[in-house]
């Protein structure tokens, strides 16, 4: 069956599955295997069910299973394709499945270059209490909006299993779980049963969109509900945010004080108390949308508490940097917020575990010698230790480890290694950011006057960056090959960092444009539109929990420690372009990542899981599922074996997951969470930002700004701030209140740094 609407055409198979959806020159692909859809599927009475449908006429397909009737009906709805899904309970008793819903069939499997550039990743799926919305997006920028004006209980993703046995790095397609057993997040409608004789229908709209800017305005219309956009989701005490509401002219706001600005815009006043604030916006028809904002402590609070947690939750000698990355947090805290007792404890931990992993005299790892990111991070750590101590030995170790990393450089400039598993040898240039680490060492060497080694490392860095410029996203990653969050974000970060070091404008342009190209493709893997301070801007990883906290099966981790790789990239992009949107994204993402440290307790969590309903298994089988959503850790310790346990099964969803290194003595990788604090130190800890906008207003990030009698007064949010970045459209005189005393400067138009010295 073929049908068409305004600007699109589609084909439906005899089984009722979409085969393709064309929008102009773009074709959106659908699966043709067991993941084809839309198709009714479910899990009930301890079995997984796939419901076969047959043509019933008038655009409708129908089928029966276990006393239940299932139907799908396709129709054109202007610019959208409408699918109405109906289930009728003819059993004579209530139907209470684990889940029952639609496998969507959108082809999301990213398994090879260049095909993955056309595949649509399930970037955002969001249940509101009264409706559902989201979108799929490809690296090339194709966007497929999905919306329902009806309440949808939940959603889930079909994660793959890698050929080498681990949970994989790919997603087949996504599901709308129209009926879903509890528990579910409080925002979700609780639709977990059909009574005997009850029939229920949902209409789902699929609409190709021109870009991200169309998602909220268009889906608000399809959902007949308000859609929310907020400029700042993590704020300083007393700071204000601007809310834009799409789709409704008359709404009611609850949960946060506000001032109406007109035209669907509101100024939100979350207040002075450090806490999360929940905003609910209700339209005239009663449909509601939710947002979350967070009023944060000073950035220095996060570094101080992260150091404390890095000592409480031990760093471990490991074959993987993910076991000891908190050594970075300890070193950077020692540099910026020294505390004698904590710094001595951090140094003792360094002396305990680093010699077990590294031969510092030979500047080489003792184990897992070809996993290049391990010595690269260690090189960067010693460059940071040099900054903290001034000890030239630290820089010699850093330089030797940088040489070790570059010993894996091939003639084409790329860095090759493997994970030590013998799976395959891959391009490690952008597995984490080994070249950024080498460049950090190089810049430290220049500052110390070590010109010969600095030049040697610069040549290696340039060769690797030239390779990325040539190859673009035709690169590889550790584990299963895919269009992977880290390899794309780290490529952008390394190229952006290198571009900023260029004195030649043409060289700066070449590397900068390549970095921006990677970031453009990476948008499909970022939570750019979600109105939630816990996740906004964070990246969509989904295979890390099995290694980091020994928690299976796959689930989204957003933020994960590696989400901060993208924040380096967007921060460099801001400095290269002056576009405030990059700065806004950096600060909102950083704010989301910092919330892994709970305030006011300062307790460190590993990451956040956006999936609404995951039956998770940690450390082994048990005989029951727990539905306790309290924040206690999943791990259940066996008193007879300290540090070991029988494991636990529980249902988790849209919540933080605890660290395990403090209770589990074995191998785990949860200390990769400390990448957030390394990023914080580079991007925001000691920096504030002033931006002059096109309308002449002047805004600040990590500070406050006021204009009085032609003088721009800037007050950084923390005494630790030692530099202010200016992005001005015209000359201004500024008075900047650094902690050590105010400084007045005459600044011209353009981008520039002003330091306290």
């Amino acid at each position: 069956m073929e049908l068409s609407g305004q600007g699109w055409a589609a084909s439906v198979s005899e089984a009722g599955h979409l085969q393709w959806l064309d929008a102009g020159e773009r074709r959106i692909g659908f699966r043709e295997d067991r993941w084809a859809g839309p198709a009714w599927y479910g899990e009930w009475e301890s079995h997984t069910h796939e419901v076969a449908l047959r043509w019933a006429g008038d655009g409708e397909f129908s089928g029966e299973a276990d006393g239940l009737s299932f139907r799908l009906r396709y129709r054109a709805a202007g610019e959208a394709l409408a699918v109405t899904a109906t289930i009728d309970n003819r059993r004579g008793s209530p139907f209470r499945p684990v889940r029952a819903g639609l496998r969507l069939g959108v082809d999301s499997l990213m398994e090879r270059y260049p095909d993955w550039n056309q595949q649509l990743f399930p970037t955002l799926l969001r249940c509101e209490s009264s409706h559902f919305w989201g979108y799929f997006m490809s690296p090339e920028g194709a966007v497929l909006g999905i919306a329902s004006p009806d309440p949808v209980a939940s959603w889930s993703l079909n994660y793959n299993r890698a050929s080498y046995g681990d949970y994989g790095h790919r997603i087949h397609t996504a599901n709308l779980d129209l009926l879903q057993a509890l528990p579910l997040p409080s925002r979700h409608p609780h639709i977990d049963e059909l009574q005997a004789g009850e029939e229920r229908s949902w209409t789902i709209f699929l609409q190709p969109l021109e870009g991200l800017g169309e998602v909220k305005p268009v889906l608000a219309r399809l959902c007949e509900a308000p859609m929310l956009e907020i400029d700042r989701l993590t704020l300083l005490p007393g700071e204000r945010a601007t809310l834009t509401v799409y789709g409704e002219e008359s709404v009611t706001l609850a949960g946060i004080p506000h001032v109406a600005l007109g035209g669907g815009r509101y100024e939100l006043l979350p207040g002075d108390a450090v806490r999360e604030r929940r905003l609910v916006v209700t339209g005239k028809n009663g449909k509601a949308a939710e947002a979350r904002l967070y009023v944060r402590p000073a950035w220095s609070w996060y570094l101080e508490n992260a150091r404390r947690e890095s000592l409480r939750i031990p760093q471990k000698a490991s074959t993987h940097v993910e076991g000891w990355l908190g050594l970075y947090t300890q070193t950077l805290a020692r540099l910026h917020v020294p505390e004698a007792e904590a710094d001595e404890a951090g140094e003792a931990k360094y002396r305990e575990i680093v010699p077990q992993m590294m031969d510092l005299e030979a500047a080489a790892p003792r184990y897992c010698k070809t996993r290049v990111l391990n010595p690269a991070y260690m090189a960067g750590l010693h460059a940071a230790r040099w900054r903290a101590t001034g000890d030239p030995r630290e820089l010699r170790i850093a330089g030797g480890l940088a040489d070790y990393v570059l010993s894996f450089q091939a003639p084409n400039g790329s860095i090759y290694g493997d994970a030590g598993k013998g799976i395959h040898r891959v391009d490690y240039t952008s597995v984490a950011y080994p070249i950024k680490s080498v460049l950090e060492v190089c810049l430290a060497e220049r500052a110390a006057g070590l010109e010969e080694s600095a030049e040697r490392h610069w040549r290696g860095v340039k060769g690797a960056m030239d390779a990325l410029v040539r190859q673009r996203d035709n690169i590889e990653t550790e584990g299963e090959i895919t269009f992977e969050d880290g390899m794309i974000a780290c490529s952008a970060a390394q190229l952006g960092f290198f571009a900023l070091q260029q004195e030649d404008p043409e060289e700066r342009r070449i590397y900068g444009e390549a970095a921006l190209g990677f970031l453009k493709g990476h948008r499909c893997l970022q939570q750019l539109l979600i109105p939630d301070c816990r996740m906004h801007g964070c990246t969509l990883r989904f295979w890390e929990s099995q290694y980091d906290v020994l928690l299976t099966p796959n689930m989204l981790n957003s933020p994960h420690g590696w989400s901060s790789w993208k924040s380096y990239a967007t921060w460099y992009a801001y400095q290269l372009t002056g576009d405030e949107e990059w700065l806004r994204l950096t600060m909102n993402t950083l704010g989301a990542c910092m919330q892994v440290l709970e305030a006011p307790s300062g307790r460190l969590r590993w990451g956040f899981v956006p999936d609404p309903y995951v039956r998770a298994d940690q450390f082994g089988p048990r005989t029951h599922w727990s539905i306790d959503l309290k924040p206690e850790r999943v791990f259940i310790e066996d008193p007879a074996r300290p540090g070991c346990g029988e494991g636990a099964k529980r249902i988790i969803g849209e919540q933080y997951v605890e660290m395990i290194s403090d209770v589990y003595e074995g191998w785990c990788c949860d200390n990769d969470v400390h990448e957030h604090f390394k990023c914080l130190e580079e991007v925001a800890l000691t920096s504030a930002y002033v931006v002059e906008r096109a309308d002449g207003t002047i805004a600040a990030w990590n500070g406050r700004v006021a204009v009085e009698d032609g003088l721009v007064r800037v007050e950084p949010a923390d005494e630790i701030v030692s530099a202010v970045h200016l992005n001005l459209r015209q000359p201004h005189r500024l008075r900047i209140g650094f902690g050590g005393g105010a400084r007045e400067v005459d600044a011209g138009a353009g981008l520039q740094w002003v330091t306290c010295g």
Side-chain angles (χ1 to χ4, degrees):
M1 179 182 76
E2 294 194 2
L3 64 164
S4 60
Q6 296 176 26
W8 61 268
S11 176
V12 183
S13 74
E14 293 181 355
H17 304 148
L18 277 168
Q19 297 173 299
W20 47 260
L21 176 60
D22 280 353
E25 297 180 357
R26 287 180 172 173
R27 169 161 289 193
I28 295 167
F30 286 76
R31 302 301 298 266
E32 297 179 356
D33 53 10
R34 60 166 294 199
W35 308 105
W40 277 101
Y41 90 110
E43 184 179 346
W44 57 85
E45 295 166 359
S46 302
H47 294 286
T48 299
H49 299 264
E50 308 282 341
V51 182
L53 301 182
R54 59 187 179 277
W55 172 249
D58 193 25
E60 187 166 285
F61 298 81
S62 64
E64 295 78 32
D66 293 343
L68 303 160
S69 172
F70 299 88
R71 301 194 300 276
L72 288 181
R73 184 173 183 270
Y74 293 88
R75 62 182 174 85
E79 296 179 279
L81 166 64
V83 184
T84 299
T86 302
I87 180 172
D88 182 3
N89 180 10
R90 300 175 179 176
R91 288 179 155 194
S93 61
F95 174 53
R96 299 187 181 98
V98 175
R99 56 169 53 95
L102 292 186
R103 181 165 294 126
L104 292 173
V106 177
D107 190 357
S108 299
L109 193 69
M110 296 174 161
E111 58 183 340
R112 65 178 64 87
Y113 173 87
D115 297 355
W116 57 43
N117 285 309
Q118 288 82 45
Q119 305 303 110
L120 281 89
F121 191 86
T123 308
L124 176 59
L125 302 172
R126 183 167 175 85
C127 296
E128 301 281 3
S129 60
S130 54
H131 58 283
F132 171 88
W133 65 283
Y135 67 96
F136 294 76
M137 187 176 186
S138 74
E140 285 190 344
V143 178
L144 176 66
I146 179 170
S148 177
D150 305 306
V152 170
S154 189
W155 55 266
S156 56
L157 301 177
N158 301 114
Y159 302 107
N160 80 316
R161 197 75 181 252
S163 60
Y164 47 85
D166 294 355
Y167 287 90
H169 293 203
R170 300 168 184 162
I171 293 172
H172 296 289
T173 190
N175 311 313
L176 296 189
D177 298 320
L178 305 174
L179 300 173
Q180 172 67 63
L182 302 179
L184 287 170
S186 60
R187 187 189 65 259
H188 285 228
H190 292 177
I191 310 171
D192 59 343
E193 68 176 9
L194 281 181
Q195 294 298 319
E198 182 181 0
E199 180 180 280
R200 189 155 189 163
S201 294
W202 295 260
T203 297
I204 296 101
F205 294 103
L206 299 173
Q207 181 165 335
L209 302 172
E210 289 300 319
L212 290 178
E214 284 196 348
V215 171
K216 290 183 178 179
V218 171
L219 300 191
R221 174 178 54 81
L222 294 175
C223 289
E224 302 171 350
M227 293 278 172
L228 313 182
E229 186 172 291
I230 303 173
D231 62 341
R232 302 187 188 214
L233 289 110
T234 301
L235 308 97
L236 290 166
E239 201 167 34
R240 302 181 176 196
T242 300
L243 164 69
T244 301
V245 180
Y246 295 100
E248 291 274 0
E249 295 182 1
S250 176
V251 296
T252 301
L253 276 64
I256 298 179
H258 58 277
V259 176
L261 301 175
R265 298 174 69 247
Y266 300 82
E267 189 173 53
L268 303 178
L269 295 77
D272 296 327
V274 172
R275 59 171 172 163
E276 183 183 284
R277 299 295 299 263
R278 179 172 169 264
L279 174 70
V280 177
V281 178
T282 306
K284 58 186 177 183
N285 61 1
K287 291 191 174 183
E290 179 183 298
R292 292 174 185 249
L293 284 74
Y294 189 72
V295 180
R296 66 170 175 86
W299 291 135
S300 57
W301 179 90
Y302 288 98
L303 186 59
E304 290 170 340
N305 282 275
R307 168 178 53 196
R308 177 179 56 79
E309 289 292 88
S310 75
L311 296 169
R312 184 183 69 84
I313 303 171
Q315 309 309 300
K316 299 180 178 181
S318 173
T319 56
H320 288 57
V321 61
E322 294 91 335
W324 55 263
L325 195 55
L327 295 182
Y328 252 112
T329 299
Q330 295 166 9
T331 299
L332 297 173
R334 179 179 181 180
L335 172 62
H336 294 288
V337 284
E339 182 185 307
E341 184 177 348
D343 294 340
E344 289 173 7
E347 184 65 17
K349 177 58 66 174
Y350 166 87
R351 295 182 183 280
E352 173 195 343
I353 68 173
V354 170
Q356 297 179 50
M357 300 182 290
M358 296 283 164
D359 182 338
L360 296 180
E361 294 304 317
R366 298 186 187 278
Y367 307 100
C368 211
K369 297 182 178 182
T370 58
R371 191 175 191 253
V372 181
L373 70 160
N374 294 340
Y377 265 105
M378 190 64 76
L381 172 65
H382 283 86
R385 285 173 59 84
W386 172 77
R387 290 168 56 205
T389 66
D391 185 346
R393 178 176 179 270
E394 301 292 349
L395 205 49
R396 287 197 298 272
I397 294 172
L401 288 166
D403 286 336
Y404 183 86
V405 171
L406 293 176
S407 72
F408 290 85
Q409 191 163 33
N412 70 350
S414 297
I415 306 294
Y416 285 88
D418 65 58
K421 293 184 178 180
I423 299 169
H424 49 75
R425 187 168 181 266
V426 301
D427 183 347
Y428 257 68
T429 306
S430 296
V431 177
Y433 46 67
I435 299 305
K436 180 180 185 298
S437 295
V438 173
L439 185 51
E440 289 170 357
V441 173
C442 173
L443 297 179
E445 289 170 331
R446 283 183 176 176
L450 303 176
E451 296 297 335
E452 182 179 347
S453 55
E455 179 59 28
R456 181 174 68 254
H457 295 143
W458 179 266
R459 289 195 301 269
V461 169
K462 186 178 187 305
M465 295 300 95
D466 288 342
L468 280 181
V469 170
R470 290 192 304 270
Q471 295 168 229
R472 301 299 169 111
D473 64 321
N474 186 15
I475 51 179
E476 296 176 309
T477 188
E478 188 175 67
E480 192 173 39
I481 301 301
T482 190
F483 186 83
E484 193 262 329
D485 161 38
M487 79 177 190
I488 304 301
C490 288
S491 295
Q494 295 182 121
L495 284 162
F497 189 29
F498 190 58
L500 287 171
Q501 314 309 317
Q502 305 303 314
E503 296 180 0
D504 184 323
E506 179 62 14
E507 293 284 287
R508 187 182 179 98
R509 181 193 66 78
I510 290 171
Y511 298 112
E513 287 184 357
L516 294 174
F518 275 102
L519 277 174
K520 182 178 179 181
H522 192 264
R523 293 176 302 169
C524 66
L525 304 179
Q526 300 176 35
Q527 302 226 44
L528 296 176
L529 300 187
I530 195 164
D532 191 324
C533 61
R534 300 170 298 177
M535 297 176 273
H536 186 88
C538 295
T539 63
L540 294 159
R541 304 181 73 80
F542 50 89
W543 55 90
E544 299 288 6
S545 66
Q546 63 187 312
Y547 310 116
D548 290 7
V549 290
L550 311 185
L551 187 65
T552 56
N554 274 354
M555 62 196 75
L556 291 173
N557 317 138
S558 181
H560 176 271
W562 298 154
S563 289
S564 281
W565 287 339
K566 189 220 67 177
S567 292
Y568 298 109
T570 54
W571 185 58
Y572 301 143
Y574 172 66
Q575 295 177 78
L576 288 167
T577 66
D579 184 348
E580 189 187 4
E581 180 59 21
W582 291 121
L583 181 62
R584 186 197 70 80
L585 179 56
T586 301
M587 293 303 168
N588 277 327
T589 307
L590 185 66
C593 293
M594 286 300 104
Q595 288 176 60
V596 296
L597 266 176
E598 181 187 58
S601 70
R603 180 171 59 95
L604 182 63
R605 287 82 62 92
W606 166 74
F608 191 84
V609 173
D611 302 62
Y613 185 97
V614 180
R615 289 182 292 183
D617 186 358
Q618 192 168 34
F619 302 101
R622 278 186 58 125
T623 58
H624 67 278
W625 293 98
S626 167
I627 60 171
D628 178 12
L629 288 178
K630 295 178 182 179
E632 286 82 19
R633 68 185 73 255
V634 176
F635 177 68
I636 297 175
E637 189 170 9
D638 180 353
R641 297 179 298 155
C644 300
E646 59 180 322
K649 291 180 183 286
R650 77 185 289 200
I651 296 167
I652 62 175
E654 203 170 286
Q655 67 183 88
Y656 289 99
V657 171
E658 301 301 312
M659 299 286 288
I660 66 169
S661 285
D662 54 329
V663 297
Y664 183 68
E665 294 181 352
W667 184 93
C668 57
C669 286
D670 55 347
N671 278 311
D672 52 12
V673 70
H674 286 278
E675 184 68 52
H676 296 319
F677 310 111
K678 180 179 184 297
C679 181
L680 169 69
E681 189 270 342
E682 182 174 346
V683 168
L685 179 72
T686 61
S687 301
Y689 300 86
V690 174
V691 181
E692 184 175 14
R693 294 169 175 160
D695 64 1
T697 59
I698 298 178
W701 295 83
N702 198 29
R704 295 173 176 84
V705 64
V707 181
E708 301 174 0
D709 300 325
L711 181 67
V712 180
R713 297 180 179 273
V714 182
E715 289 297 329
D718 194 332
E719 288 191 358
I720 202 172
V721 171
S722 58
V724 175
H725 186 269
L726 306 179
N727 181 357
L728 303 176
R729 294 175 179 268
Q730 57 184 329
H732 288 279
R733 183 163 184 77
L734 299 96
R735 179 180 174 84
I736 303 174
F738 289 113
R743 181 180 178 190
E744 291 196 6
V745 295
D746 289 306
L751 305 176
Q752 58 195 291
W753 286 96
V754 176
T755 61
C756 60

